[in-house]
Amino acid sequence: MTYVFKCKDIGMKDAFEVQADTKEELLPVIQAHAKASHGINEVTPDLLQKINAAIKKKGMF
Ligand SMILES: [Zn+2]
């Protein structure tokens, strides 16, 4: 199973997109991007909830 996160899905205008096999692998990458590109030093529980809601499973077809 592949998990996909796109910044666009939480209302950001950039084209950042990341894929990983688990959600656990995805979060540090998203956090690093949030810090580097959006100046977000700390992911709040509110933002984390948004991120989790935006993570999509890419199924097998
Ligand atoms: Zn972004």
Side-chain angles (χ1 to χ4, degrees):
M1 191 69 76
T2 305
Y3 291 88
V4 186
F5 170 81
K6 293 176 186 177
C7 256
K8 275 181 186 166
D9 291 343
I10 56 164
M12 300 293 188
K13 289 189 176 80
D14 59 306
F16 177 76
E17 189 180 324
V18 61
Q19 297 188 6
D21 292 333
T22 64
K23 271 191 180 183
E24 287 70 29
E25 281 176 55
L26 222 47
L27 284 171
V29 182
I30 296 167
Q31 275 173 354
H33 167 76
K35 195 172 179 178
S37 299
H38 300 288
I40 299 166
N41 288 315
E42 196 190 340
V43 177
T44 60
D46 194 53
L47 182 59
L48 193 63
Q49 207 172 29
K50 263 188 173 181
I51 290 168
N52 270 314
I55 292 172
K56 290 188 176 71
K57 277 185 212 164
K58 211 171 168 182
M60 286 175 286
F61 293 100

